[in-house]
């Protein structure tokens, strides 16, 4: 059996099949304007959009870039690309105009779609771009009559490029194929027990794998309803959850903390929510407990763009364990490596390497970095973890974030979890700074919760009671808030840049 015979696994085929099975079910709901779109609407709109792209000169294998909020046009463009072998490039709207231009140039997109909200981020003399198209001017109605039976033939072909946040080095375009997305959907459906009764709230931005791949596309795969929030707002999200009967959502820890700190949290029942996926950073046990008290499982997740999102995650009903991100996804394999040839025994930390259907084939037009990161089908993540005898994984930190002080290696994650145990602390980032005697020492940038006073001495006392002296921060900075990336994660790269001196 060749891959082309598996065209039924492509996203274009799957969305059309959903329209065939239950055309009138609501697929997408936009809370900003109250719009609702059925599965039949998704099929017809993507057919029309596919014709639009072909009429505007898009060729097989070419990319289109999109600078959009969470709107229906994301799905129009993505499913249209799926039907004509195009490649969809969602762009982080928090990037600077120059960074956005660099993504478009790297992706070689002849067509760039944008929301008027971000018109000031577009540099319109970008080489290679034939058209910049305001999505509100994109009239699909004149393409309605053709409705061709578009079907992408090869499920191993690229469908989406997700550009990494650039927290380590320059941003890279991670290729995600139809098969990658199919296996990610299947894992979410199996491991979280998703059905067509699920209602998925999408508060995370769709340009990030947590927003697009974690639950959104799996939710559409099973015929559920997806509710789009243009941008995350804690009060609004809590209101939507209660009013619409939301059953699941995927967020970053920072977003979850904002929900807990919201005045609305105490009066929100959250009774419809089965689980919340929380990835990007270790989940604060205090925040996890706040949701558990409402009967909601807030589940630790570890994943990355190179694996089309989740690799390891806790399951519904799992007992929360400190630092634990749970066992592997059903269709993935992983090893903990001490070096390129030595696998770590249980209980010993090393680098996570992952293999399976969700693992990307590599980086867009970057063979050197692809060769460095993807080896014999395994992706070397750069993240450190250990595995226990039951197959559960515990995050330690990034291999390039490990602090080397004297002869000791120090995990920033361990110190961050200790400091976060204080009810006065909203967030914290720990990293190493140069030291003449020890090579590196520990520095902590600590964000206090709104309206509370926090002193360096209090942070020091927390650390004294929880860790050895060599792990304790030698430098502490107290701030009101920490900057975040476009995907809602704390921007560690920027924090290190701002506070390294």
């Amino acid at each position: 059996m060749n891959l082309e015979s598996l065209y039924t696994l492509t996203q274009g085929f799957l969305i059309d099949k959903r329209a065939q099975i239950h055309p009138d079910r609501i697929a997408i709901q936009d809370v900003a304007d109250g719009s609702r779109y059925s599965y039949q609407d998704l099929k017809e709109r993507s057919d029309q959009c596919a014709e639009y792209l072909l009429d505007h000169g898009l060729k097989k294998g070419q990319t289109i870039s999109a600078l959009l909020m969470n709107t229906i046009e994301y799905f129009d463009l993505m499913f249209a690309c799926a039907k004509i072998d195009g490649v969809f490039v969602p762009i982080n709207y928090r990037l600077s105009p120059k960074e956005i231009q660099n993504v478009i140039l790297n992706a070689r997109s002849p067509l760039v779609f944008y929301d008027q909200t971000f018109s000031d981020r577009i540099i319109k003399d970008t080489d290679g771009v034939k058209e910049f198209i305001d999505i509100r001017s994109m009239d699909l109605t004149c393409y309605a009559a053709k409705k061709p039976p578009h079907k992408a033939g090869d499920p191993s072909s690229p469908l989406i490029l997700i550009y990494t946040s650039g927290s380590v080095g320059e941003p890279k375009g991670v290729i995600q194929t139809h098969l990658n997305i199919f296996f990610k959907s299947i894992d979410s459906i199996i491991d979280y027990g998703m059905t067509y009764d699920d209602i998925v709230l999408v508060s995370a931005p769709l340009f990030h794998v947590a927003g697009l791949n974690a639950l959104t596309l799996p939710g559409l795969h099973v015929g559920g309803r997806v509710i789009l929030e243009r941008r995350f707002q804690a009060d609004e999200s809590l209101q939507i959850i209660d009013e619409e009967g939301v059953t699941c959502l995927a967020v970053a820890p920072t977003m979850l903390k904002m929900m807990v700190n919201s005045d609305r949290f105490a009066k929100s029942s959250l009774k419809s929510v089965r689980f919340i996926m929380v990835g990007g950073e270790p989940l604060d046990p205090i925040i996890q407990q706040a949701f558990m008290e409402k009967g909601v499982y807030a589940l630790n997740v570890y994943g990355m763009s190179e694996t089309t999102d989740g690799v390891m995650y806790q399951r519904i009903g799992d007992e929360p364990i400190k630092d634990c991100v749970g066992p592997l996804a059903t269709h993935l394999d992983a090893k903990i490596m001490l070096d390129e040839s030595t696998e770590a025994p249980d209980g010993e930390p090393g680098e996570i390497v992952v293999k399976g259907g969700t693992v990307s084939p590599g980086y867009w037009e970057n063979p050197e970095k692809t060769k460095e990161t993807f080896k014999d089908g395994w992706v070397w993540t750069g993240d450190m973890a250990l595995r226990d005898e039951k197959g559960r994984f515990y995050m330690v930190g990034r291999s390039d974030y490990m602090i080397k002080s004297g002869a000791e290696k120090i995990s920033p994650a361990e110190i961050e979890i200790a400091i976060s145990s204080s009810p006065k602390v909203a967030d914290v980032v720990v990293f190493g700074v140069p030291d003449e005697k020890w090579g590196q020492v520990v520095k902590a940038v600590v964000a206090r919760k709104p309206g509370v006073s926090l002193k360096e001495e209090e942070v020091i006392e927390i650390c004294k009671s929880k860790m050895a002296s060599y792990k304790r921060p030698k430098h502490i900075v107290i701030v009101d808030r920490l900057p975040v990336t476009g995907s809602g994660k704390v921007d560690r790269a920027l924090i290190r840049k701002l506070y390294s001196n």
Side-chain angles (χ1 to χ4, degrees):
M1 179 183 292
N2 59 36
L3 281 174
E4 286 196 2
S5 69
L6 298 178
Y7 68 88
T8 56
L9 307 187
T10 63
Q11 290 299 301
F13 182 91
L14 290 170
I15 204 64
D16 284 359
K17 181 55 69 76
R18 277 293 150 217
Q20 192 179 62
I21 295 170
H22 40 224
D24 298 327
R25 283 182 67 91
I26 298 302
I28 304 287
Q29 177 180 342
D30 186 336
V31 295
D33 62 13
S35 300
R36 291 175 176 236
Y37 303 91
S38 69
Y39 279 93
Q40 183 64 27
D41 291 333
L42 283 193
K43 174 192 170 3
E44 291 179 359
R45 289 176 66 97
S46 57
D47 279 344
Q48 293 163 22
C49 191
E51 280 299 317
Y52 180 98
L53 296 177
L54 292 172
D55 191 59
H56 284 67
L58 192 73
K59 302 291 191 297
K60 180 177 178 178
Q62 284 188 313
T63 70
I64 61 167
S65 290
L67 189 67
L68 307 175
M69 286 189 287
N70 290 359
T71 61
I72 186 64
E73 287 83 7
Y74 250 101
F75 300 94
D76 295 339
L77 293 167
M78 184 190 66
F79 289 128
C81 284
K83 292 179 176 184
I84 59 173
D85 278 324
V87 183
F88 180 59
V89 185
I91 300 179
N92 180 346
Y93 51 66
R94 293 187 176 179
L95 297 177
S96 69
K98 183 60 178 174
E99 290 170 318
I100 289 169
Q101 183 185 46
N102 287 341
V103 169
I104 294 168
L105 286 169
N106 183 266
R108 299 183 185 274
S109 297
L111 303 177
V112 177
F113 296 84
Y114 67 96
D115 189 305
Q116 271 293 338
T117 309
F118 308 122
S119 59
D120 61 342
R121 308 285 182 90
I122 297 290
I123 300 174
K124 292 199 173 181
D125 62 349
T126 302
D127 291 344
V129 177
K130 296 177 181 177
E131 287 188 74
F132 287 91
I133 303 164
D134 178 352
I135 57 167
R136 299 305 167 197
S137 70
M138 187 174 63
D139 182 10
L140 299 181
T141 57
C142 60
Y143 296 93
K146 298 181 182 179
K147 296 183 183 176
H150 295 300
K151 286 179 184 176
D154 185 355
S156 67
S157 63
L159 174 58
I160 298 172
L161 299 186
I162 296 288
Y163 276 81
T164 62
S165 61
S167 60
V168 182
E170 290 299 314
K172 303 175 290 295
V174 180
I175 298 169
Q176 294 179 355
T177 68
H178 290 266
L179 279 177
N180 292 151
I181 295 165
F182 173 82
F183 278 109
K184 176 67 203 91
S185 287
I186 291 299
D187 275 345
S188 288
I189 292 164
I190 291 172
D191 293 336
Y192 294 115
M194 295 184 72
T195 73
Y196 60 76
D197 289 325
D198 272 310
I199 300 174
V200 181
L201 176 61
V202 183
S203 298
L206 287 167
F207 59 71
H208 188 265
V209 287
L212 187 59
N213 295 335
L215 297 174
T216 305
L217 293 180
L220 294 176
H221 194 148
V222 294
R225 174 155 55 107
V226 169
I227 300 178
L228 299 181
E229 191 176 15
R230 296 283 174 92
R231 284 181 172 176
F232 172 75
Q233 299 178 67
D235 287 349
E236 181 183 71
S237 294
L238 289 167
Q239 180 179 348
I240 294 168
I241 289 169
D242 284 340
E243 291 181 354
E244 298 290 342
V246 169
T247 62
C248 54
L249 59 155
V251 297
T254 304
M255 298 162 70
L256 208 64
K257 289 177 184 178
M258 291 170 69
M259 292 171 74
V260 170
N261 292 332
S262 164
D263 292 337
R264 192 179 180 94
F265 184 76
K267 58 184 180 183
S268 293
S269 73
L270 306 183
K271 63 182 180 181
S272 61
V273 182
R274 295 197 301 115
F275 66 94
I276 302 175
M277 291 178 64
V278 191
E281 298 169 1
L283 179 56
D284 184 341
I286 295 174
I287 300 295
Q288 198 169 22
Q289 183 60 34
F291 280 88
M292 285 292 291
E293 289 171 1
K294 289 182 176 285
V296 176
Y297 285 96
L299 306 174
N300 261 318
V301 177
Y302 166 75
M304 58 197 305
S305 299
E306 287 84 347
T307 58
T308 325
D309 197 45
V311 173
M312 305 143 185
Y313 34 76
Q314 295 171 326
R315 297 337 193 247
I316 297 169
D318 283 357
E319 179 185 354
I321 302 174
K322 183 181 177 182
D323 301 344
C324 181
V325 291
L328 281 166
T330 294
H331 293 100
L332 286 177
D333 192 12
K335 299 185 290 189
I336 303 297
M337 301 298 292
L338 298 176
D339 53 43
E340 291 216 3
S341 59
T342 309
E343 189 168 351
D346 288 346
E348 189 168 342
E351 183 174 350
I352 306 167
V353 298
V354 183
K355 190 174 191 177
T358 70
V359 172
S360 166
Y363 300 113
W364 183 258
E365 298 195 347
N366 194 338
E368 184 176 326
K369 194 66 180 177
T370 296
K371 185 177 180 181
E372 178 183 322
T373 306
F374 298 86
K375 303 172 184 177
D376 297 323
W378 297 87
V379 57
W380 289 69
T381 67
D383 291 315
M384 305 286 285
L386 59 83
R387 177 172 47 201
D388 68 16
E389 70 283 354
K390 294 184 177 180
R392 297 173 300 203
F393 290 81
Y394 300 75
M395 299 309 297
V396 177
R398 279 199 63 81
S399 59
D400 45 3
Y401 282 176
M402 292 294 285
I403 300 166
K404 301 172 181 65
S405 185
E408 302 289 350
K409 289 185 178 180
I410 303 170
S411 165
E414 177 185 357
I415 304 167
E416 289 169 358
I417 290 170
I419 295 174
S420 291
S421 67
S422 167
K424 292 186 176 183
V425 173
D427 228 325
V428 57
V429 168
V430 169
F431 53 93
V433 293
D435 181 80
E436 188 173 332
K437 180 178 181 180
W438 300 107
Q440 282 187 314
V441 292
V442 177
K443 186 168 190 175
V445 180
V446 185
R448 55 177 163 248
K449 286 186 176 175
V452 304
S453 172
L454 180 66
K455 297 180 180 179
E456 291 182 26
E457 293 78 12
E458 294 176 84
V459 177
I460 292 169
E461 284 304 311
I462 295 168
C463 296
K464 280 183 178 179
S465 66
K466 293 180 179 291
M467 66 192 69
S469 58
Y470 72 87
K471 297 180 182 180
R472 298 171 197 161
K474 301 299 185 290
H475 308 284
I476 297 170
V477 180
I478 309 293
V479 299
D480 290 331
R481 65 182 61 86
L482 298 179
V484 296
T485 66
S487 57
K489 295 190 293 184
V490 170
D491 194 336
R492 293 176 175 272
L494 179 57
I495 292 166
R496 292 173 71 166
K497 182 178 180 180
L498 292 174
Y499 296 103
S500 285
N501 294 330

